[in-house]
Amino acid sequence: MMRRDFAAALAVAIVPVLAAAAAPAAAGNGTACANLAALTIPNVTIRSATTMPPGAFTPPGARQEMQVPAFCRVEATARPTSDSEIKFEVWIPPVDTWNGKFQGVGNGGYQGSITYTAMAAALRKGYATASTDTGHTGDDMKFGQEHPEKIVDYAHRAIHVMTETSKLIVRDAQGRFADKSYFVGCSAGGQQALSEAQRYPEDYDGIVAGDPANNRIRQTFGFLYSWMATHTKEGAPIFTPQKLALLSKSSVEACDAIDGLKDGLVDDPRKCHFDPVKLLCKNGASGTDEAACLSQPQVDAAKKMYEGLKSPKTGETIYTGWPRGSEGFGDNASQSWRQYITDQKEPARVDFFRYFLFHDPNWDYRSIDWDRDLAYAEQKMPWFPSVDRDLSGFKKHGGKLVMYTGWMDPVVPPQDTVAYYDGVAKTMGGIEKTREFYRFFLAPGMGHCAGGPGPNTFDALGALEQWVEKGAAPDKLVATHSTNGKVDRTRPLCVYPQVARWKGAGSSDEAANFACVSDGPAPARKTTTGGGLKE
Ligand SMILES: [Ca+2]
């Protein structure tokens, strides 16, 4: 329904734009930057089009400047509905430094702002690039109150409208359409990436989805449950950061060797069943011991966090728990349960319930009925998450999708990302057929989108481009880990469900000494009864 409206809008949009581009300029030439402001695109206002010199650029609202090459900066606002106010920018390199490609970049959290740093990175590599504020300002959710269309803009429409319109603007500026279009995003950007593949399969030729927060309704329920599990009835946090770090350290120590290599990394935390009761403080513990042990409420809270949210009615999992190792593996709040769970004064994203779902700013999270309210949310807002397992539109378009996630992600549990991929494989005719267009890479010891003790820096877009442009599908991504800016470990991230195994000789800090192999009870292959994947 909505998709068809957009197709119609695009058909209308192309006509005047192409006419404008073809008329005064010589064939093959683009429109001068400043003249792009005169473009007429239905439901879009071009606010400015400015030639920017190379050098320092300070994004609106930022304190720090960035270094950028010369580009044409287009600021625009799209209003696909009367309630919409989707701001976006398109940055276009001069035609002689353009790599011929378009890159849409994603957002983080509920971030109502343009992702300038990602745009600058894309521009430096020669891409024309675009980013949107997703239709609202600021990282809180009050914008949704009385503005249902703005929630839809945030959920999936803004990225699509940005993409569709930016392609036209780039075409005008350069005198031709981009050869290939890519989308790159992590976290909320990963959700946007999967949303594009699911809802608007023709927007992009290649998509990178990192640590995708695509199961957004259930993740929000998971945040609420996790907050209640890790706080007292009075709302005091049960864990200190030190206890979270103790849990991470103890989990990894207990499970490091399961994968056959003692390297400080747990290849697959689903195989780790470390019981936090082993850290329970003994009676009469000294002060020193107390720092290295857990109280009973802490043990109980950790167990709930690992187990995740289960339906009180049926016992079935509503949202998976967080993996062992993700509790507190780094000094930053984002490298632990702190940022989204234990440091929060109230459950993270509780405003989803207040402003998006129940339209009641006074809604009390203690009143949650997990089964009833989940059913209501999923029935009322099926367009909010991006959990459609049928990617046949994207496959038919010839699109390629590279997804990655960190096995220590404390924000989006990697088990949920695995479950989504397995679900797609089941829907799309098995894992082999799915791998023809959609590949998944899990990074042991990596946190949310970046960081962590495991190798966590890799070129997913580069691998995707080889696939899209040369037909070379990636079997692995070589990842690096750095300390103080110096690479001290490299390791292949293998295409799921393969894992990296040390060959038994040479340094275990060098990727060349690892092979990608099938591991343990591999997902069920085709059987004579036509089985496919197990859930
Ligand atoms: Ca290990």
Side-chain angles (χ1 to χ4, degrees):
M1 4 140 240
M2 213 160 273
R3 219 174 285 175
R4 214 168 298 143
D5 295 344
F6 282 118
L10 178 61
V12 174
I14 280 177
V15 177
V17 172
L18 289 185
N29 286 347
T31 305
C33 183
N35 293 343
L36 293 174
L39 286 180
T40 51
I41 302 173
N43 304 322
V44 175
T45 306
I46 306 228
R47 307 199 311 278
S48 75
T50 316
T51 303
M52 306 292 288
F57 172 78
T58 307
R63 264 173 259 137
Q64 265 194 321
E65 57 184 38
M66 320 183 293
Q67 294 299 317
V68 287
F71 68 105
C72 171
R73 181 184 182 200
V74 178
E75 296 177 281
T77 305
R79 295 184 186 86
T81 75
S82 58
D83 193 32
S84 294
E85 181 82 9
I86 300 168
K87 293 197 173 66
F88 64 100
E89 292 198 21
V90 195
W91 290 8
I92 308 163
V95 74
D96 57 331
T97 57
W98 185 36
N99 67 6
K101 306 178 204 180
F102 171 71
Q103 185 185 141
V105 299
N107 302 78
Y110 283 72
Q111 171 194 335
S113 60
I114 286 165
T115 317
Y116 288 105
T117 46
M119 290 185 84
L123 186 71
R124 280 185 217 111
K125 290 182 178 168
Y127 297 89
T129 181
S131 172
T132 172
D133 68 356
T134 68
H136 69 276
T137 307
D139 187 53
D140 75 57
M141 301 163 79
K142 294 193 177 77
F143 73 86
Q145 183 75 340
E146 312 297 338
H147 292 286
E149 294 295 346
K150 282 194 199 303
I151 305 177
V152 178
D153 287 339
Y154 166 73
H156 61 83
R157 192 162 48 202
I159 290 287
H160 170 61
V161 169
M162 168 199 89
T163 301
E164 219 170 41
T165 314
S166 299
K167 284 182 176 182
L168 298 176
I169 294 172
V170 170
R171 191 256 176 251
D172 268 285
Q174 309 293 51
R176 65 182 174 95
F177 282 106
D179 302 325
K180 296 290 175 199
S181 295
Y182 296 96
F183 185 84
V184 180
C186 199
S187 193
Q191 118 94 18
Q192 293 166 337
L194 292 179
S195 170
E196 283 292 303
Q198 294 167 13
R199 296 187 172 93
Y200 308 108
E202 296 187 359
D203 275 0
Y204 290 99
D205 303 296
I207 293 177
V208 174
D211 299 60
N214 61 308
N215 201 355
R216 199 170 265 296
I217 288 178
R218 290 181 180 234
Q219 184 193 19
T220 307
F221 276 71
F223 279 150
L224 179 53
Y225 173 77
S226 300
W227 192 90
M228 291 170 86
T230 55
H231 291 76
T232 64
K233 281 206 166 55
E234 295 72 36
I238 291 172
F239 290 116
T240 60
Q242 292 75 21
K243 297 296 168 96
L244 293 177
L246 172 67
L247 272 168
S248 264
K249 186 169 162 279
S250 307
S251 297
V252 172
E253 274 174 11
C255 298
D256 188 350
I258 292 174
D259 54 44
L261 183 64
K262 270 273 204 184
D263 57 351
L265 304 176
V266 179
D267 264 14
D268 184 346
R270 290 174 302 179
K271 294 178 182 167
C272 180
H273 302 287
F274 174 71
D275 189 340
V277 79
K278 291 192 173 142
L279 295 171
L280 184 63
C281 298
K282 310 278 182 290
N283 284 337
S286 72
T288 320
D289 284 334
E290 276 167 29
C293 68
L294 299 179
S295 66
Q296 188 64 51
Q298 288 168 341
V299 170
D300 296 342
K303 282 185 174 171
K304 286 181 188 168
M305 286 292 288
Y306 300 140
E307 277 165 20
L309 171 57
K310 293 189 161 45
S311 156
K313 230 185 236 170
T314 65
E316 278 172 35
T317 294
I318 289 176
Y319 196 63
T320 178
W322 271 267
R324 286 170 175 80
S326 70
E327 306 90 336
F329 56 84
D331 296 330
N332 301 328
S334 61
Q335 296 183 317
S336 69
W337 293 347
R338 286 170 55 200
Q339 185 178 17
Y340 280 92
I341 301 160
T342 64
D343 278 6
Q344 296 274 337
K345 294 277 172 280
E346 56 178 6
R349 309 308 184 197
V350 67
D351 283 349
F352 166 84
F353 299 95
R354 291 174 182 151
Y355 299 108
F356 286 13
L357 187 62
F358 295 128
H359 307 288
D360 174 8
N362 298 314
W363 183 76
D364 184 347
Y365 56 82
R366 293 173 200 87
S367 72
I368 188 94
D369 179 317
W370 301 111
D371 290 296
R372 180 197 65 190
D373 295 344
L374 178 70
Y376 178 65
E378 294 194 325
Q379 165 259 316
K380 189 156 183 280
M381 303 175 70
W383 41 267
F384 193 65
S386 298
V387 291
D388 190 344
R389 297 167 169 194
D390 182 356
L391 296 183
S392 44
F394 187 66
K395 183 180 182 181
K396 193 173 164 214
H397 171 63
K400 302 286 184 279
L401 178 49
V402 167
M403 183 166 78
Y404 65 83
T405 203
W407 262 132
M408 273 192 178
D409 190 329
V411 182
V412 179
Q415 301 97 311
D416 192 61
T417 312
V418 171
Y420 174 70
Y421 188 83
D422 286 347
V424 171
K426 196 175 171 189
T427 306
M428 298 300 296
I431 204 149
E432 303 293 341
K433 280 204 159 62
T434 301
R435 269 201 221 129
E436 289 170 10
F437 72 99
Y438 180 13
R439 295 188 172 214
F440 180 28
F441 300 87
L442 281 149
M446 179 173 121
H448 185 58
C449 295
N456 56 67
T457 303
F458 46 89
D459 185 9
L461 177 58
L464 176 65
E465 289 179 311
Q466 290 295 311
W467 195 6
V468 168
E469 295 167 27
K470 308 216 165 92
D475 290 322
K476 62 186 178 193
L477 304 173
V478 175
T480 62
H481 178 273
S482 300
T483 304
N484 300 324
K486 207 177 157 216
V487 173
D488 50 15
R489 178 176 270 178
T490 65
R491 184 83 54 100
L493 311 180
C494 300
V495 65
Y496 174 83
Q498 290 194 328
V499 293
R501 277 280 170 275
W502 183 50
K503 291 173 181 169
S507 167
S508 63
D509 289 335
E510 287 176 23
N513 300 323
F514 285 77
C516 290
V517 300
S518 298
D519 176 50
R525 299 304 165 114
K526 284 177 202 141
T527 66
T528 46
T529 52
L533 280 175
K534 279 180 197 159
E535 282 274 36

